[in-house]
Amino acid sequence: MRFVDIIEKKKENQVLTDEEIQFFIDGVTNNTIPDYQISALLMAIVFNGMNEHETAKLAQAMRDSGDVIDLSSIEGVKADKHSTGGVGDKTSLALTAMVAACGLKVAKMSGRGLGHTGGTLDKLESIEGMRIDLTDQEFKKQVNEIGLAIIGQTGDLVPADKKLYALRDVTATVDSIPLIASSIMSKKLASGSDTILLDVKYGEGAFMHRVEDAKRLAKAMIAIGKKLGKDTRAMISDMNQPLGNTIGNALEVREAVETVQGHGPEDFTELCLKAGEIMLMQGKLAKDEKQARSMLEEVIRNGKAFEKLCQMVSYQGGKVEQIKNTKLLPQAKYKTIMLSREEGYIKELKALELGILAMELGAGRATVDDNINYAVGLELKAKKGMKIKKSDEICIVYHDSPLTDQWKEKFYKAFIFSDKKVPKTPIVEDILS
Ligand code: URA
């Protein structure tokens, strides 16, 4: 087989065979195809796409390019969830504790944050002593014993994706549904869970800006999951404003704790409950949404969800006192209350800008090598639809160095006001399966 013929075929908008796709991924993994040829094929895929079968074959070949985690020694249905990333997205922390308290097994591998989006591992590491590098054996033992573990990636999962993603990043070939879907799903499939719930975000702070594109991506990923034998479902959720009220690692841990205790922000609580309903149905622990919701509400009410979170933190070496009393989490040196300069209804809260502003305080990484300041971030006091008067508190900024005038100007530009009432939009726009 000659790789140039495969590039030519995709350039001519023809369908690639399974053998050709396997040849491509083998060549990427073994470094036998030069980067310029890989990049040419990627660009041809961006322009001409791939059908469902090609996309599933691509995901499967990528999954098999490295280790595939075997979770069969863990009893019961193992559930996983994945978010396409957003600002203030602490869902994994709260949701996994809720569903695990209902009896679901969650053996989750998470990632770190980059740019305006945060990462679950960084949030967890704001708890002193928290280990995210459990051995394979420790990981499985913990899930068998308490039903929940969240760790960093182990083994050599999907090396083909690492290579492809790095190339896509520098060749303007990221924004292609088959490439994104196969990239995300290959990693989820290699992580070994039985069920996958995808939280596909749309909006200004998300990867997909338009709801229709988020749905197209979700459908492509569901099709891959189905073809490869996994119960895969998706929710389409709103990222036109940050999720919940906090952005920043320790602040988000605090909010996740409040949410599993039943006094979290409305939008974040609703997202966790909707996601939990789907996961409990996927795990066959609930027959419908109604039953699942009452199970979730019960574990929040009776404290079992919070207990599960404490148990996970304790098993992974974290200081549980910081969860029981969140004032013991890292605290920033300064706290500045931002007052509104305008009045009216909040029409937009620019998630992307607020994510970048939090990153600039030190809450996130501009490059992979940057260190994180766990204590800093934003606590929003105003969200979309709220009526605000001049000088009302709209945010508390937690910071370790003085806020510059430039930072403050950018901050105020993230709040867009309207003099007309702004209707609230549902946090979960649709559920697809
Ligand atoms: N996230 C991934 O893991 N892969 C993509 O291609 C895009 C987002």
Side-chain angles (χ1 to χ4, degrees):
M1 219 177 275
R2 290 189 332 148
F3 197 65
V4 66
D5 297 330
I6 299 177
I7 302 172
E8 181 69 34
K9 220 173 146 182
K10 195 38 88 183
K11 189 182 81 179
E12 296 302 328
N13 201 10
Q14 291 174 32
V15 175
L16 302 182
T17 65
D18 287 2
E19 292 70 29
E20 286 163 340
I21 293 170
Q22 190 65 53
F23 181 76
F24 165 43
I25 294 303
D26 287 345
V28 169
T29 313
N30 305 328
N31 290 313
T32 50
I33 304 173
D35 289 358
Y36 51 82
Q37 281 193 309
I38 298 173
S39 305
L41 181 62
L42 290 171
M43 192 57 89
I45 295 172
V46 169
F47 284 122
N48 289 328
M50 277 184 144
N51 68 24
E52 238 177 50
H53 181 86
E54 288 175 292
T55 310
K57 173 63 200 173
L58 181 61
Q60 177 252 308
M62 286 169 74
R63 174 197 69 189
D64 296 336
S65 68
D67 296 337
V68 176
I69 309 285
D70 177 8
L71 297 177
S72 59
S73 62
I74 300 170
E75 286 158 38
V77 178
K78 277 77 67 182
D80 196 2
K81 68 127 311 239
H82 175 82
S83 156
T84 56
V87 178
D89 188 359
K90 69 275 307 168
T91 311
S92 288
L93 303 180
L95 167 66
T96 57
M98 290 178 191
V99 293
C102 293
L104 199 61
K105 295 278 169 63
V106 185
K108 183 154 179 52
M109 284 183 201
S110 284
R112 297 197 178 278
L114 186 62
H116 69 283
T117 60
T120 302
L121 296 183
D122 300 317
K123 293 169 204 194
L124 281 175
E125 281 183 337
S126 61
I127 304 165
E128 215 177 295
M130 192 74 189
R131 283 183 59 208
I132 47 91
D133 60 347
L134 304 186
T135 63
D136 204 37
Q137 224 180 358
E138 286 172 322
F139 179 53
K140 290 174 185 166
K141 183 169 174 283
Q142 181 174 323
V143 181
N144 257 328
E145 286 180 15
I146 67 166
L148 172 62
I150 304 180
I151 60 166
Q153 191 179 299
T154 63
D156 187 19
L157 254 59
V158 199
D161 183 63
K162 290 192 190 98
K163 174 88 185 271
L164 286 177
Y165 201 81
L167 276 179
R168 286 168 61 207
D169 215 19
V170 292
T171 54
T173 52
V174 171
D175 58 340
S176 144
I177 296 237
L179 294 179
I180 300 171
S182 55
S183 163
I184 294 176
M185 285 303 287
S186 61
K187 288 173 282 195
K188 289 288 110 188
L189 294 164
S191 308
S193 287
D194 303 306
T195 69
I196 301 165
L197 169 64
L198 303 159
D199 179 6
V200 183
K201 307 222 175 265
Y202 73 92
E204 205 249 341
F207 208 58
M208 293 288 160
H209 291 189
R210 297 174 337 147
V211 70
E212 312 86 77
D213 293 332
K215 286 188 185 179
R216 284 201 303 134
L217 175 61
K219 283 181 187 158
M221 293 194 283
I222 291 170
I224 295 173
K226 287 210 170 129
K227 271 193 186 286
L228 298 174
K230 301 277 181 191
D231 179 335
T232 307
R233 307 185 197 186
M235 44 183 207
I236 309 296
S237 71
D238 187 359
M239 191 33 77
N240 275 308
Q241 64 174 342
L243 181 60
N245 297 338
T246 57
I247 311 167
N249 300 282
L251 295 169
E252 292 190 46
V253 169
R254 185 188 84 198
E255 192 163 80
V257 167
E258 288 163 359
T259 305
V260 296
Q261 289 176 329
H263 41 266
E266 193 186 321
D267 60 344
F268 180 51
T269 303
E270 181 58 16
L271 183 92
C272 288
L273 289 171
K274 278 259 160 45
E277 288 171 12
I278 304 168
M279 288 176 82
L280 293 180
M281 290 191 294
Q282 285 182 299
K284 312 258 182 299
L285 292 176
K287 63 176 190 313
D288 55 24
E289 287 93 347
K290 191 160 171 266
Q291 188 191 7
R293 183 160 286 231
S294 70
M295 287 166 72
L296 293 159
E297 284 172 347
E298 180 58 20
V299 293
I300 292 172
R301 203 168 23 242
N302 66 18
K304 292 233 161 76
F306 178 57
E307 234 172 74
K308 191 56 74 187
L309 183 62
C310 292
Q311 223 175 10
M312 176 182 79
V313 170
S314 155
Y315 262 66
Q316 293 184 218
K319 199 168 173 182
V320 184
E321 298 81 67
Q322 288 183 311
I323 296 294
K324 293 194 169 153
N325 174 6
T326 51
K327 290 200 175 70
L328 300 175
L329 285 165
Q331 302 288 322
K333 256 192 245 161
Y334 311 108
K335 201 169 136 174
T336 300
I337 295 173
M338 305 296 280
L339 304 179
S340 181
R341 290 175 175 173
E342 294 179 58
E343 62 179 34
Y345 295 91
I346 302 216
K347 184 170 158 227
E348 257 183 84
L349 252 190
K350 293 185 172 284
L352 175 64
E353 276 80 351
L354 290 165
I356 293 171
L357 285 161
M359 182 188 81
E360 287 174 0
L361 296 175
R365 296 183 184 83
T367 71
V368 277
D369 300 321
D370 287 351
N371 284 326
I372 285 216
N373 181 337
Y374 297 116
V376 297
L378 306 175
E379 181 178 353
L380 298 165
K381 295 288 180 190
K383 297 265 309 217
K384 195 171 152 191
M386 276 172 73
K387 189 172 183 202
I388 298 292
K389 294 197 293 293
K390 236 182 193 159
S391 298
D392 274 356
E393 271 184 34
I394 51 172
C395 184
I396 303 174
V397 184
Y398 297 85
H399 52 113
D400 271 357
S401 43
L403 299 179
T404 62
D405 288 344
Q406 200 191 17
W407 190 95
K408 286 185 193 165
E409 286 314 307
K410 280 195 284 185
F411 170 86
Y412 281 111
K413 285 204 181 106
F415 290 72
I416 312 292
F417 286 82
S418 161
D419 45 14
K420 290 190 200 73
K421 224 173 163 167
V422 177
K424 273 199 191 171
T425 40
I427 183 72
V428 177
E429 141 80 32
D430 204 355
I431 292 170
L432 306 173
S433 60

